[in-house]
Amino acid sequence: MSILNILKEPNKLLRQKSAEIHVIDEEIKNLAKDMLETMYNAPGIGLAAVQVGVLKRLIVVDISKEGEKKNPIFLINPKIVWKSDILVNNEEGCLSIPGYYGNVDRYESCKVEYLDIEGKLNNINVSGLLSRCIQHEVDHCNGVLFIDHLSQLKREIIQKKIQKNNL
Ligand code: NI
């Protein structure tokens, strides 16, 4: 296993749509393991393959707290098939935009259909932080970042600060 480099905004790859995975081979399984290690190392609670430069619809999430038993979930081709009417506004960050946070509306609960790492079609009902986290990661698969959900003004302030720090 190895720790991968996490792409940072404004890397253009982060704006591309990831492709569906049709074959879950050793390469995908190894990528999943490396993504998990990379996420734990960061540390973060979610990571999409595009964030390590692979444009494939694979995400990993684990919202277990420090000291708790780890509970990683790999989701291949995740699809939100149901969402609650209730939206919750809460603070979010992203490993690709380190040091910046913003309040984003997310569905309080949702149902996600996905293939597990063995290729079995599965679904889960999630709520709260896990629901937020999965919606954030599915966004990544579509080239969307959390700052895209902020007001134009807030987004531009963050992007200008990033630009300035990169000079
Ligand atoms: Ni993110």
Side-chain angles (χ1 to χ4, degrees):
M1 290 207 288
S2 44
I3 290 165
L4 308 170
N5 179 44
I6 299 176
L7 304 182
K8 307 283 181 334
E9 166 78 350
N11 190 298
K12 286 197 169 70
L13 267 190
L14 293 171
R15 296 314 193 161
Q16 290 195 32
K17 205 171 163 176
S18 295
E20 287 209 352
I21 294 170
H22 298 294
V23 185
I24 302 165
D25 51 16
E26 281 309 300
E27 203 182 320
I28 293 289
K29 288 184 183 182
N30 286 331
L31 171 65
K33 283 182 208 157
D34 286 346
M35 281 171 58
L36 185 67
E37 196 183 3
T38 303
M39 181 184 80
Y40 286 149
N41 177 67
I45 59 169
L47 191 70
V50 59
Q51 291 180 276
V52 294
V54 180
L55 284 166
K56 290 185 174 158
R57 302 182 87 83
L58 162 63
I59 67 176
V60 58
V61 296
D62 187 348
I63 59 154
S64 64
K65 293 194 182 72
E66 212 186 318
E68 283 179 4
K69 193 175 176 287
K70 289 199 185 327
N71 185 26
I73 311 170
F74 296 103
L75 301 98
I76 294 168
N77 304 336
K79 201 174 156 195
I80 295 168
V81 293
W82 174 84
K83 345 176 214 212
S84 61
D85 295 330
I86 306 164
L87 286 167
V88 179
N89 188 269
N90 218 334
E91 192 173 70
E92 237 170 75
C94 178
L95 294 176
S96 293
I97 316 173
Y100 296 93
Y101 302 90
N103 274 56
V104 178
D105 274 342
R106 298 285 186 191
Y107 299 102
E108 201 280 325
S109 21
C110 62
K111 181 178 179 178
V112 192
E113 214 171 73
Y114 63 99
L115 295 177
D116 68 18
I117 203 71
E118 301 306 326
K120 196 172 147 272
L121 186 64
N122 212 333
N123 67 75
I124 37 168
N125 288 294
V126 289
S127 60
L129 181 60
L130 189 54
S131 173
R132 171 170 299 276
C133 183
I134 289 176
Q135 288 169 66
H136 175 118
E137 300 311 327
V138 170
D139 266 359
H140 273 302
C141 296
N142 295 320
V144 175
L145 300 175
F146 86 83
I147 52 172
D148 301 342
H149 294 288
L150 306 178
S151 69
Q152 193 183 341
L153 180 67
K154 282 183 187 162
R155 182 170 64 247
E156 284 175 1
I157 288 171
I158 291 177
Q159 285 172 324
K160 272 183 193 147
K161 280 187 189 162
I162 291 170
Q163 222 174 19
K164 213 175 134 194
N165 290 341
N166 287 345
L167 288 179

Short mmCIF file of all heavy atoms in Angstrom, two decimals, residues 79-112:
data_model
loop_
_atom_site.label_atom_id
_atom_site.label_comp_id
_atom_site.label_asym_id
_atom_site.label_seq_id
_atom_site.Cartn_x
_atom_site.Cartn_y
_atom_site.Cartn_z
N LYS A 79 -24.55 5.95 -6.78
CA LYS A 79 -25.66 6.69 -7.37
C LYS A 79 -26.68 6.99 -6.28
O LYS A 79 -27.13 6.06 -5.59
CB LYS A 79 -26.28 5.81 -8.47
CG LYS A 79 -27.07 6.58 -9.49
CD LYS A 79 -27.51 5.65 -10.61
CE LYS A 79 -28.74 6.19 -11.30
NZ LYS A 79 -29.39 5.17 -12.14
N ILE A 80 -27.02 8.25 -6.13
CA ILE A 80 -28.02 8.62 -5.14
C ILE A 80 -29.39 8.39 -5.77
O ILE A 80 -29.76 9.06 -6.73
CB ILE A 80 -27.81 10.06 -4.66
CG1 ILE A 80 -26.47 10.15 -3.92
CG2 ILE A 80 -28.95 10.51 -3.74
CD1 ILE A 80 -25.98 11.54 -3.63
N VAL A 81 -30.11 7.39 -5.25
CA VAL A 81 -31.38 6.99 -5.87
C VAL A 81 -32.59 7.54 -5.12
O VAL A 81 -33.72 7.44 -5.58
CB VAL A 81 -31.49 5.45 -6.01
CG1 VAL A 81 -30.46 4.95 -7.02
CG2 VAL A 81 -31.31 4.75 -4.67
N TRP A 82 -32.35 8.08 -3.94
CA TRP A 82 -33.43 8.72 -3.18
C TRP A 82 -32.81 9.77 -2.26
O TRP A 82 -31.72 9.56 -1.74
CB TRP A 82 -34.19 7.68 -2.33
CG TRP A 82 -35.21 8.31 -1.43
CD1 TRP A 82 -36.48 8.67 -1.76
CD2 TRP A 82 -35.02 8.71 -0.06
NE1 TRP A 82 -37.10 9.27 -0.67
CE2 TRP A 82 -36.22 9.30 0.37
CE3 TRP A 82 -33.94 8.64 0.83
CZ2 TRP A 82 -36.39 9.81 1.66
CZ3 TRP A 82 -34.11 9.14 2.12
CH2 TRP A 82 -35.32 9.72 2.53
N LYS A 83 -33.50 10.91 -2.11
CA LYS A 83 -33.03 11.92 -1.15
C LYS A 83 -34.21 12.44 -0.34
O LYS A 83 -35.33 12.52 -0.84
CB LYS A 83 -32.37 13.12 -1.84
CG LYS A 83 -32.01 12.91 -3.25
CD LYS A 83 -31.45 14.13 -3.94
CE LYS A 83 -31.85 14.18 -5.40
NZ LYS A 83 -30.93 14.79 -6.29
N SER A 84 -33.93 12.78 0.91
CA SER A 84 -34.97 13.31 1.78
C SER A 84 -35.35 14.72 1.32
O SER A 84 -34.60 15.37 0.59
CB SER A 84 -34.46 13.36 3.22
OG SER A 84 -33.35 14.22 3.31
N ASP A 85 -36.51 15.17 1.78
CA ASP A 85 -36.92 16.55 1.47
C ASP A 85 -36.14 17.55 2.30
O ASP A 85 -36.04 18.71 1.94
CB ASP A 85 -38.42 16.74 1.76
CG ASP A 85 -39.28 15.87 0.85
OD1 ASP A 85 -38.84 15.62 -0.29
OD2 ASP A 85 -40.36 15.44 1.29
N ILE A 86 -35.62 17.06 3.42
CA ILE A 86 -34.95 17.97 4.35
C ILE A 86 -33.51 18.24 3.94
O ILE A 86 -32.73 17.31 3.70
CB ILE A 86 -34.96 17.38 5.78
CG1 ILE A 86 -36.40 17.03 6.19
CG2 ILE A 86 -34.32 18.32 6.79
CD1 ILE A 86 -36.50 16.11 7.39
N LEU A 87 -33.19 19.52 3.88
CA LEU A 87 -31.81 19.93 3.63
C LEU A 87 -31.20 20.40 4.94
O LEU A 87 -31.88 21.02 5.75
CB LEU A 87 -31.77 21.08 2.61
CG LEU A 87 -32.06 20.73 1.15
CD1 LEU A 87 -32.29 22.01 0.36
CD2 LEU A 87 -30.92 19.93 0.54
N VAL A 88 -29.94 20.09 5.13
CA VAL A 88 -29.23 20.56 6.33
C VAL A 88 -28.04 21.40 5.88
O VAL A 88 -27.29 21.01 4.99
CB VAL A 88 -28.75 19.37 7.19
CG1 VAL A 88 -28.00 19.87 8.42
CG2 VAL A 88 -29.92 18.51 7.62
N ASN A 89 -27.90 22.56 6.51
CA ASN A 89 -26.79 23.45 6.19
C ASN A 89 -25.71 23.27 7.25
O ASN A 89 -25.96 23.48 8.43
CB ASN A 89 -27.31 24.90 6.16
CG ASN A 89 -26.25 25.85 5.64
OD1 ASN A 89 -25.48 26.42 6.41
ND2 ASN A 89 -26.22 26.04 4.34
N ASN A 90 -24.54 22.84 6.82
CA ASN A 90 -23.46 22.62 7.80
C ASN A 90 -22.10 22.86 7.15
O ASN A 90 -21.98 22.90 5.93
CB ASN A 90 -23.54 21.19 8.34
CG ASN A 90 -23.20 21.14 9.82
OD1 ASN A 90 -22.46 22.00 10.33
ND2 ASN A 90 -23.71 20.15 10.51
N GLU A 91 -21.11 23.00 8.03
CA GLU A 91 -19.77 23.31 7.53
C GLU A 91 -19.10 22.10 6.90
O GLU A 91 -19.25 20.97 7.36
CB GLU A 91 -18.91 23.83 8.68
CG GLU A 91 -17.62 24.44 8.21
CD GLU A 91 -16.85 25.10 9.34
OE1 GLU A 91 -16.34 24.38 10.21
OE2 GLU A 91 -16.77 26.34 9.34
N GLU A 92 -18.36 22.36 5.82
CA GLU A 92 -17.68 21.32 5.08
C GLU A 92 -16.29 21.77 4.67
O GLU A 92 -16.05 22.95 4.46
CB GLU A 92 -18.47 21.06 3.78
CG GLU A 92 -18.92 19.66 3.62
CD GLU A 92 -19.90 19.50 2.47
OE1 GLU A 92 -19.46 19.53 1.32
OE2 GLU A 92 -21.09 19.32 2.76
N GLY A 93 -15.42 20.79 4.55
CA GLY A 93 -14.09 21.06 4.02
C GLY A 93 -13.78 20.01 2.97
O GLY A 93 -14.63 19.16 2.67
N CYS A 94 -12.57 20.05 2.42
CA CYS A 94 -12.20 19.09 1.38
C CYS A 94 -10.69 18.95 1.36
O CYS A 94 -9.97 19.95 1.46
CB CYS A 94 -12.70 19.61 0.03
SG CYS A 94 -12.26 18.55 -1.34
N LEU A 95 -10.21 17.72 1.23
CA LEU A 95 -8.76 17.49 1.21
C LEU A 95 -8.09 18.15 0.00
O LEU A 95 -6.89 18.38 0.00
CB LEU A 95 -8.45 15.98 1.22
CG LEU A 95 -8.85 15.24 2.51
CD1 LEU A 95 -8.59 13.75 2.36
CD2 LEU A 95 -8.12 15.80 3.72
N SER A 96 -8.89 18.47 -1.02
CA SER A 96 -8.34 19.15 -2.21
C SER A 96 -8.36 20.67 -2.06
O SER A 96 -7.86 21.38 -2.94
CB SER A 96 -9.11 18.74 -3.47
OG SER A 96 -8.87 17.37 -3.73
N ILE A 97 -8.97 21.16 -0.98
CA ILE A 97 -9.00 22.61 -0.71
C ILE A 97 -8.63 22.81 0.76
O ILE A 97 -9.42 23.32 1.56
CB ILE A 97 -10.41 23.20 -1.02
CG1 ILE A 97 -10.96 22.65 -2.34
CG2 ILE A 97 -10.34 24.74 -1.09
CD1 ILE A 97 -12.40 23.06 -2.62
N PRO A 98 -7.41 22.38 1.14
CA PRO A 98 -7.06 22.36 2.56
C PRO A 98 -7.08 23.76 3.19
O PRO A 98 -6.64 24.73 2.58
CB PRO A 98 -5.64 21.76 2.57
CG PRO A 98 -5.13 21.92 1.19
CD PRO A 98 -6.32 21.90 0.29
N GLY A 99 -7.61 23.81 4.39
CA GLY A 99 -7.60 25.06 5.15
C GLY A 99 -8.81 25.94 4.92
O GLY A 99 -8.95 26.98 5.56
N TYR A 100 -9.70 25.53 4.02
CA TYR A 100 -10.88 26.35 3.73
C TYR A 100 -12.15 25.57 4.06
O TYR A 100 -12.21 24.36 3.83
CB TYR A 100 -10.90 26.79 2.26
CG TYR A 100 -9.73 27.68 1.91
CD1 TYR A 100 -8.56 27.14 1.39
CD2 TYR A 100 -9.79 29.04 2.15
CE1 TYR A 100 -7.46 27.95 1.11
CE2 TYR A 100 -8.70 29.86 1.86
CZ TYR A 100 -7.55 29.31 1.33
OH TYR A 100 -6.48 30.10 1.06
N TYR A 101 -13.12 26.31 4.58
CA TYR A 101 -14.38 25.67 4.97
C TYR A 101 -15.54 26.55 4.53
O TYR A 101 -15.39 27.74 4.33
CB TYR A 101 -14.41 25.47 6.50
CG TYR A 101 -13.25 24.63 6.96
CD1 TYR A 101 -12.04 25.24 7.33
CD2 TYR A 101 -13.34 23.25 6.98
CE1 TYR A 101 -10.94 24.48 7.70
CE2 TYR A 101 -12.25 22.48 7.35
CZ TYR A 101 -11.05 23.09 7.71
OH TYR A 101 -9.98 22.33 8.06
N GLY A 102 -16.69 25.92 4.36
CA GLY A 102 -17.87 26.70 3.99
C GLY A 102 -19.12 25.92 4.33
O GLY A 102 -19.08 24.69 4.45
N ASN A 103 -20.21 26.64 4.51
CA ASN A 103 -21.48 25.99 4.83
C ASN A 103 -22.22 25.61 3.55
O ASN A 103 -22.43 26.43 2.68
CB ASN A 103 -22.34 26.91 5.69
CG ASN A 103 -22.00 26.76 7.15
OD1 ASN A 103 -20.85 26.93 7.53
ND2 ASN A 103 -22.98 26.41 7.96
N VAL A 104 -22.59 24.32 3.50
CA VAL A 104 -23.22 23.77 2.30
C VAL A 104 -24.52 23.05 2.68
O VAL A 104 -24.58 22.37 3.70
CB VAL A 104 -22.26 22.77 1.61
CG1 VAL A 104 -22.91 22.16 0.37
CG2 VAL A 104 -20.94 23.44 1.24
N ASP A 105 -25.54 23.22 1.86
CA ASP A 105 -26.80 22.48 2.02
C ASP A 105 -26.63 21.06 1.47
O ASP A 105 -26.17 20.89 0.34
CB ASP A 105 -27.91 23.14 1.18
CG ASP A 105 -28.62 24.27 1.92
OD1 ASP A 105 -28.51 24.32 3.16
OD2 ASP A 105 -29.28 25.08 1.26
N ARG A 106 -27.01 20.08 2.26
CA ARG A 106 -27.00 18.68 1.78
C ARG A 106 -28.29 18.02 2.25
O ARG A 106 -28.87 18.42 3.26
CB ARG A 106 -25.82 17.90 2.38
CG ARG A 106 -24.44 18.42 2.02
CD ARG A 106 -24.05 18.09 0.61
NE ARG A 106 -22.66 18.50 0.36
CZ ARG A 106 -22.11 18.53 -0.85
NH1 ARG A 106 -22.83 18.18 -1.92
NH2 ARG A 106 -20.87 18.90 -1.02
N TYR A 107 -28.70 16.98 1.55
CA TYR A 107 -29.89 16.23 1.97
C TYR A 107 -29.58 15.51 3.28
O TYR A 107 -28.54 14.85 3.40
CB TYR A 107 -30.30 15.22 0.90
CG TYR A 107 -30.65 15.91 -0.39
CD1 TYR A 107 -29.76 15.94 -1.46
CD2 TYR A 107 -31.85 16.62 -0.51
CE1 TYR A 107 -30.06 16.62 -2.62
CE2 TYR A 107 -32.16 17.30 -1.67
CZ TYR A 107 -31.26 17.30 -2.72
OH TYR A 107 -31.56 17.99 -3.87
N GLU A 108 -30.49 15.65 4.24
CA GLU A 108 -30.27 15.07 5.57
C GLU A 108 -30.07 13.56 5.47
O GLU A 108 -29.21 12.99 6.12
CB GLU A 108 -31.45 15.40 6.50
CG GLU A 108 -31.12 15.31 7.99
CD GLU A 108 -31.14 13.89 8.54
OE1 GLU A 108 -31.99 13.09 8.07
OE2 GLU A 108 -30.31 13.58 9.40
N SER A 109 -30.88 12.91 4.61
CA SER A 109 -30.66 11.49 4.38
C SER A 109 -30.81 11.18 2.90
O SER A 109 -31.42 11.95 2.15
CB SER A 109 -31.61 10.61 5.20
OG SER A 109 -32.74 11.30 5.62
N CYS A 110 -30.22 10.07 2.51
CA CYS A 110 -30.35 9.63 1.12
C CYS A 110 -30.08 8.13 1.02
O CYS A 110 -29.61 7.51 1.98
CB CYS A 110 -29.39 10.41 0.20
SG CYS A 110 -27.64 10.21 0.54
N LYS A 111 -30.47 7.58 -0.12
CA LYS A 111 -30.21 6.16 -0.38
C LYS A 111 -29.22 6.09 -1.54
O LYS A 111 -29.43 6.74 -2.57
CB LYS A 111 -31.52 5.46 -0.73
CG LYS A 111 -31.35 3.97 -0.98
CD LYS A 111 -32.70 3.34 -1.29
CE LYS A 111 -32.54 1.85 -1.57
NZ LYS A 111 -33.85 1.23 -1.82
N VAL A 112 -28.18 5.33 -1.34
CA VAL A 112 -27.13 5.23 -2.35
C VAL A 112 -27.01 3.80 -2.86
O VAL A 112 -26.94 2.86 -2.08
CB VAL A 112 -25.75 5.64 -1.76
CG1 VAL A 112 -24.72 5.83 -2.87
CG2 VAL A 112 -25.86 6.88 -0.93
#
